[in-house]
Amino acid sequence: MNKPWQLVLVLVGIFVAGGVTGTFITLKFGREWAMRRPGPDYQWAPKHLKRLSDRLGLQADQQAQILPIVKRNMEELSQVQNGCFAATTAVFEKMQHEISEKLTPEQLVKYAQFNKEMHERAKRVILEKFGRPPGPGGPPSGDMPPPGPPPKAKN
């Protein structure tokens, strides 16, 4: 009667070992693959043009006219993302400076360590999520804008 339970335990052990091995292999090679892949600037425009072409049945001349539009706007989007990151960094640095002015020398030492840990954590999260640091060619901002013409600017 012990034999069926032993067989089940062996099968569960094999399954768990395979899952653990697969996880480690994916983490090792998946991260390396993510580091080598080109940034969104290089892959988004052709993929977006292909989706447009497939869904709208674009002709070759239309594709040729639309590709520069897509590339130009992707470059603009990249600049906006980089500017947003720089602005966010500036706000955090300003906040840290203002907080530092209110702390005692002992608290300043702890606060410096706290900031260092937070910076390392943020960097690690970004690298894990996107495979590259923020900035030029860095992570995308998230969801794609809704389809259709862009909203009109207010005068």
Side-chain angles (χ1 to χ4, degrees), residues 76 149-155:
E76 185 179 340
K152 294 184 180 180
K154 295 180 181 177
N155 292 335

Side-chain angles (χ1 to χ4, degrees), residues 12 18 31 35 37 55 59 77 79 94 111 141 143:
V12 167
R31 186 171 292 139
M35 294 291 246
R37 71 180 181 183
R55 291 207 181 166
Q59 298 173 2
L77 178 60
Q79 291 174 355
K94 179 181 139 200
Y111 189 55
S141 63
D143 298 329

Side-chain angles (χ1 to χ4, degrees), residues 4-101:
W5 286 107
Q6 290 175 344
L7 179 61
V8 169
L9 287 175
V10 168
L11 291 175
V12 167
I14 292 171
F15 178 77
V16 169
V20 169
T21 302
T23 300
F24 284 118
I25 289 172
T26 300
L27 289 174
K28 169 77 174 143
F29 294 109
R31 186 171 292 139
E32 289 175 7
W33 172 81
M35 294 291 246
R36 286 191 312 259
R37 71 180 181 183
D41 311 31
Y42 301 106
Q43 58 185 221
W44 187 83
K47 285 183 179 181
H48 187 63
L49 182 63
K50 180 166 179 11
R51 281 191 299 265
L52 286 172
S53 183
D54 291 348
R55 291 207 181 166
L56 305 177
L58 298 177
Q59 298 173 2
D61 63 326
Q62 290 175 308
Q63 290 179 23
Q65 293 171 356
I66 291 173
L67 181 60
I69 296 169
V70 173
K71 283 185 175 182
R72 182 182 69 245
N73 285 284
M74 185 59 207
E75 289 172 9
E76 185 179 340
L77 178 60
S78 182
Q79 291 174 355
V80 168
Q81 290 172 342
N82 294 338
C84 181
F85 179 75
T88 301
T89 301
V91 169
F92 271 105
E93 288 174 355
K94 179 181 139 200
M95 178 181 67
Q96 290 171 353
H97 178 72
E98 290 177 10
I99 290 172
S100 295
E101 292 176 342

